[in-house]
Amino acid sequence: MTTTDTTSTGAAFPGGTILGYPRIGRRRELKRAVEAYWAGRTDLDTLEAAAREVRLATLRRLVELGLDPADGSVPGSFSFYDQVLDAAVTLGAVPDRFDGLQPGLPGYFTLARGAGDQPPLEMTKWFDTNYHYLVPEISPATTFSLADDRVVREHLEAREAGVTTRPVVVGPVTFLLLAKSSDAAPEGFRPFDRLADLVPAYAALLGALAQAGAPWVQLDEPGLVSDTLLDAAGVTRAEVADAVRSAYGTLAALTVDDGGARPRLLVTAPYGDLGDLLTPLDESGVEAIAVDLVRGSAPVAPTRAHLVAGVIDGHGVWRADLEARLDRLGALAGPVSVGTSTSLLHVPHDVDDETWSDAAADRAGRTPELRRWLAFADQKVREVTVLARALAGGPDAVRDALDEASAALAERAAAPGVVVPAVRERLAALTEDDFARGAHDERVAAQRERLGLPPLPTTTIGSFPQTSEIRKARSAWAKGELGDEAYTTAMRAEIERVVRLQEEIGLDVLVHGEPERNDMVQYFAELLDGFATTDLGWVQSYGSRCVRPPILWGDVTRPAPMTVEWTRYAQSLTEQPVKGMLTGPVTILAWSFVRDDQPLADTANQVALALRDEVRDLEEAGTAVVQVDEPALRELLPLRRADQADYLRWSVGSFRLATAGAAASTQVHTHLCYSEFGEVIGAIDGLDADVTSIEAARSRMEVVPELNAAGYARGVGPGVYDIHSPRVPSVQEVTELLGLAVRSIDPAVVWVNPDCGLKTRGYAEVEPSLRHLVAAAQTVRAGL
Ligand code: GLN
Ligand code: ZN
């Protein structure tokens, strides 16, 4: 079974390759199968069979699309939940706190989801994508070994189906950079320092894969492109260079031959620029290196390793300019093969799956041509194979495909809606004044007079629990089964209920509860021109959770007010101020597929102008408080330090453009969904919002003294109720947290609110929690 002769010709993946493929199934079959298993509706065998079907369907599809089934060009990149969790389980890096974990998949899911009062591994964002991975916990006592052979078994399964895959595993350096030290570890311990102990487990894995006949293994090292990750791990670039040298030097020193100690090694560096780390990797002796030529550059070509040139964007949904990509490939020195810049995990399966019916097209904001401008995963595989054929046989071998791509791009550039002159003129006419509100102290005075709020005002972040009746009404309306009027009546009834409840609880600044919103970005994307939504464009966000990001394809305009009627109605019910709720420009961009034909800053400002008009209309409808949420502000922060200042400049600028038209007496709030501010703390001040609510309950208000030290003097609402858990905090608990806040920052600026929106919670927890929050505010107020 050990036929691994691929380098005798000196070529690697001559037909092109991709770094990974969506794993959840074309119709989210895997999602359904795991969720049915979790719910106890099916057994393990049924789940394994469904997963096998998804894997085999992927293999068939990739071969049909033109990847070579025999030489390791097809990645074996399946996962039941997450690839970092897979690596942890494969390498035996299971934290001690999971003592007595069940073997196999049941234990694997316990690590991912927790069980009883056993909390799961922490989850956090994967580089600058919307994917989330599980954070391994490492201590000085963690023993690494080849503890699970699922990767090997999947390779054998594929082989039996006629495809020799290239197994994909997170590489050792990135694995440790992503890990955190377990609670038991001593102060100052870094998981990174365990590299020498970890590498032998990788060596054992390579040995097992060589035995199974794998010609190549792909080790993913995105950690090498991220300064942010290095900073968080407390590791310098020089240390990483040494780590690359020693880990890959050791692995490469295992000999390659048939049935021998290891397969050939492809090391990937997606999501950015490998920079000076290319050299140690190249010198280590690995056979191939995949670089991201969409985000990063390849200033020095490797001299020893074969280069897999990631010229097809794995991360966006736009059809590539194949001529330009071919020029890029031609400019690279030495032998290269064609690849994607990243795994295709981040894009939907297939543009051709979209039904795109005319009736739905209008509602979904699609111009009929849009389909031809897009490339989802399957289209990208074809792009890779076309470029590979052009490299091998010259451009004329694929002339039709190149011309078709050029024609589609030309059509896109000239299509109505892509450039809207009025939008361009408005942007060009902006001046500094459009980005600045009046002096902060004058605003404070005007708002105090208008709102007349008590000290420590209480409020919520916006959404109230989404009951099943709300969801049913919304989906019936979307399908046309419920008429506009009946839908409006249902939503208004919900808004009235939520307003009355807040009044009765005694909150100071009310919200309408957001029952009409499926999602805080999709809602606006459906109402703005320039966006399209898809029917089946699902991408994995984490585990079985998938999202359907809207596609921002054209200049953005607002045909009509988007939130005004709901807010006006809510305000008509009460004397208390009701907040208008908007999603900010950066978050709208972060959670969409954004056009690639102009700077992000320009696109953000277009969205900002639409929001600015909405703010004005809300003001005209009598709204005195407007909240513009930016939970994704930190998410989009570039991975390389050198790019961060520019990002913060335009992202903060777009928020200011959205809000700076507000009158001094209109109170602008913003909400950020996290508490570790680090490199964005200055930006938070720069947003110039009157009040910023943040997550703080779990970290026990840690961020408040930090904000104080950074000179932050505007309103701040550190969350005192952790909404990520069903627990109801007691009055005493909330009082204590609030006490911590008012002792570390001027009580005059403190607001009292939960950590985040309440839409994922139930009323049974939310009601008592909010009552406790109001009672705590009263207690602390009395003691001021
Ligand atoms: N206003 C939104 C809500 O309350 C904010 C959600 C978020 O921060 N992700 O749901
Ligand atoms: Zn939030």
Side-chain angles (χ1 to χ4, degrees):
M1 285 192 70
T2 51
T3 47
T4 60
D5 186 25
T6 53
T7 54
S8 54
T9 60
F13 325 117
T17 189
I18 60 172
L19 303 192
Y21 188 75
R23 319 179 283 217
I24 205 83
R26 292 176 84 78
R27 293 291 180 275
R28 291 181 295 155
E29 293 88 346
L30 184 66
K31 172 196 175 69
R32 290 209 197 88
V34 288
E35 288 179 355
Y37 170 73
W38 291 341
R41 293 198 303 272
T42 56
D43 62 9
L44 207 51
D45 288 344
T46 313
L47 172 59
E48 289 278 12
R52 180 168 193 273
E53 239 343 284
V54 169
R55 290 193 293 267
L56 294 181
T58 295
L59 297 178
R60 281 193 299 269
R61 184 71 178 145
L62 291 177
V63 170
E64 185 182 299
L65 290 168
L67 294 186
D68 190 325
D71 70 354
S73 295
V74 174
S77 60
F78 177 80
S79 179
F80 273 99
Y81 199 100
D82 167 50
Q83 70 274 10
V84 182
L85 176 61
D86 294 344
V89 168
T90 302
L91 302 161
V94 172
D96 285 344
R97 65 184 179 89
F98 291 93
D99 197 25
L101 192 71
Q102 287 169 277
L105 271 185
Y108 175 92
F109 288 135
T110 301
L111 293 166
R113 309 175 66 229
D117 51 10
Q118 173 70 276
L121 295 180
E122 201 179 286
M123 189 167 67
T124 192
K125 260 175 55 71
W126 175 251
F127 300 92
D128 57 353
T129 73
N130 250 326
Y131 178 79
H132 300 73
Y133 70 93
L134 291 163
V135 182
E137 291 169 22
I138 306 292
S139 80
T142 308
T143 45
F144 302 106
S145 66
L146 178 53
D148 184 282
D149 66 348
R150 181 171 280 282
V151 218
V152 180
R153 282 184 279 127
E154 284 172 11
H155 179 73
L156 292 172
E157 168 192 279
R159 196 168 256 275
E160 235 166 74
V163 182
T164 303
T165 56
R166 179 180 79 239
V168 179
V169 184
V170 173
V173 178
T174 294
F175 180 76
L176 291 178
L177 287 172
L178 294 173
K180 63 175 209 175
S181 48
S182 67
D183 289 345
E187 192 73 24
F189 167 77
R190 300 185 307 176
F192 181 76
D193 294 326
R194 300 290 319 274
L195 187 66
D197 305 316
L198 175 62
V199 169
Y202 275 88
L205 174 63
L206 297 186
L209 286 168
Q211 280 295 320
W216 284 92
V217 169
Q218 172 178 327
L219 295 173
D220 288 333
E221 291 286 6
L224 305 184
V225 311
S226 173
D227 291 336
T228 322
L229 187 63
L230 265 52
D231 288 351
V235 174
T236 67
R237 251 181 119 69
E239 285 179 301
V240 174
D242 286 344
V244 165
R245 250 182 226 108
S246 84
Y248 286 100
T250 306
L251 295 178
L254 306 163
T255 49
V256 182
D257 52 36
D258 277 12
R262 69 164 175 93
R264 294 178 177 81
L265 298 176
L266 165 65
V267 179
T268 75
Y271 310 112
D273 202 331
L274 192 48
D276 53 4
L277 293 174
L278 180 74
T279 307
L281 192 55
D282 187 28
E283 288 170 358
S284 71
V286 301
E287 280 76 14
I289 300 174
V291 295
D292 180 338
L293 294 180
V294 176
R295 296 296 190 77
S297 53
V300 227
T303 52
R304 294 179 52 165
H306 183 89
L307 183 69
V308 175
V311 290
I312 294 298
D313 187 4
H315 204 181
V317 291
W318 303 102
R319 185 169 189 164
D321 181 346
L322 292 180
E323 292 275 10
R325 302 283 88 193
L326 200 52
D327 289 346
R328 184 83 178 83
L329 286 165
L332 296 167
V336 294
S337 42
V338 185
T340 51
S341 62
T342 70
S343 165
L344 299 176
L345 173 67
H346 310 299
V347 295
H349 270 86
D350 190 351
V351 177
D352 293 334
D353 283 346
E354 293 297 319
T355 48
W356 234 270
S357 68
D358 285 346
D362 195 37
R363 184 177 52 77
R366 303 156 180 160
T367 89
E369 299 84 17
L370 178 59
R371 185 199 287 276
R372 287 200 291 275
W373 314 337
L374 296 173
F376 292 172
D378 288 2
Q379 286 69 38
K380 285 172 190 289
V381 180
R382 287 235 196 260
E383 290 179 335
V384 163
T385 59
V386 165
L387 289 177
R389 294 214 311 278
L391 269 193
D396 285 339
V398 291
R399 183 48 61 200
D400 287 354
L402 299 182
D403 290 349
E404 204 190 307
S406 302
L409 259 85
E411 175 190 272
R412 177 180 162 199
V418 171
V419 174
V420 177
V423 174
R424 302 297 166 115
E425 282 154 26
R426 194 172 170 201
L427 272 187
L430 291 174
T431 66
E432 300 247 312
D433 285 351
D434 294 312
F435 293 83
R437 290 183 84 193
H440 182 242
D441 43 350
E442 284 163 26
R443 279 151 41 194
V444 171
Q447 292 161 21
R448 186 180 300 130
E449 195 181 309
R450 180 170 180 193
L451 293 168
L453 295 168
L456 304 178
T458 55
T459 191
T460 61
I461 306 304
S463 59
F464 266 69
Q466 293 241 333
T467 59
S468 61
E469 295 86 76
I470 302 177
R471 286 179 212 277
K472 263 184 229 142
R474 235 186 10 237
S475 91
W477 177 66
K479 284 190 210 128
E481 292 161 7
L482 189 68
D484 288 353
E485 208 167 302
Y487 173 72
T488 305
T489 306
M491 292 299 124
R492 285 188 165 204
E494 175 65 16
I495 290 170
E496 172 155 22
R497 214 178 53 69
V498 167
V499 167
R500 297 289 169 245
L501 177 68
Q502 294 171 87
E503 284 183 327
E504 194 254 307
I505 290 175
L507 289 154
D508 299 309
V509 174
L510 311 193
V511 296
H512 78 287
E514 305 179 22
E516 78 288 8
R517 303 191 189 172
N518 37 4
D519 170 284
M520 64 187 291
V521 169
Q522 177 133 2
Y523 178 78
F524 291 95
E526 282 171 1
L527 295 173
L528 289 166
D529 279 352
F531 284 86
T533 53
T534 65
D535 302 317
L536 291 165
W538 297 101
V539 295
Q540 190 179 10
S541 169
Y542 63 87
S544 69
R545 191 172 154 75
C546 301
V547 293
R548 252 182 326 166
I551 298 171
L552 197 175
W553 60 268
D555 279 354
V556 175
T557 52
R558 187 191 68 136
M562 305 179 284
T563 64
V564 175
E565 279 319 309
W566 302 121
T567 312
R568 190 205 306 272
Y569 176 68
Q571 187 65 79
S572 75
L573 300 169
T574 178
E575 295 296 311
Q576 299 295 118
V578 175
K579 282 194 268 193
M581 282 291 159
L582 305 174
T583 302
V586 182
T587 300
I588 290 184
L589 259 54
W591 296 348
S592 303
F593 287 118
V594 180
R595 62 192 296 177
D596 60 350
D597 57 349
Q598 64 179 18
L600 276 182
D602 292 351
T603 310
N605 281 343
Q606 292 186 2
V607 175
L609 285 175
L611 293 169
R612 188 181 175 104
D613 295 344
E614 187 74 11
V615 171
R616 187 202 54 223
D617 287 345
L618 282 166
E619 285 184 305
E620 273 170 19
T623 306
V625 183
V626 176
Q627 179 171 310
V628 180
D629 293 326
E630 281 293 19
L633 183 69
R634 197 191 52 174
E635 264 182 50
L636 273 198
L637 189 73
L639 303 176
R640 293 299 289 270
R641 216 173 283 118
D643 306 327
Q644 292 176 353
D646 183 54
Y647 163 74
L648 289 172
R649 191 188 48 69
W650 69 254
S651 59
V652 167
S654 71
F655 181 91
R656 294 174 67 129
L657 181 58
T659 52
S665 66
T666 301
Q667 192 167 64
V668 174
H669 288 217
T670 189
H671 168 68
L672 310 167
C673 265
Y674 41 85
S675 62
E676 291 118 35
F677 289 134
E679 52 280 88
V680 298
I681 203 153
I684 291 168
D685 205 38
L687 295 176
D688 196 23
D690 298 304
V691 179
T692 303
S693 61
I694 51 182
E695 184 177 309
R698 272 201 197 176
S699 61
R700 296 196 58 79
M701 307 283 126
E702 239 170 38
V703 58
V704 182
E706 279 172 39
L707 278 172
N708 201 23
Y712 182 85
R714 300 166 219 276
V716 58
V720 288
Y721 157 27
D722 172 14
I723 62 90
H724 302 292
S725 140
R727 270 188 70 248
V728 175
S730 66
V731 177
Q732 193 196 343
E733 240 179 288
V734 180
T735 307
E736 273 170 29
L737 288 177
L738 207 47
L740 287 173
V742 298
R743 280 196 294 280
S744 48
I745 199 163
D746 178 4
V749 304
V750 176
W751 282 66
V752 186
N753 48 254
D755 269 342
C756 193
L758 305 170
K759 62 172 166 255
T760 57
R761 298 261 67 96
Y763 275 102
E765 314 130 36
V766 162
E767 253 195 70
S769 300
L770 291 179
R771 287 186 203 284
H772 295 175
L773 180 148
V774 169
Q778 282 159 353
T779 310
V780 179
R781 253 176 223 162
L784 284 181

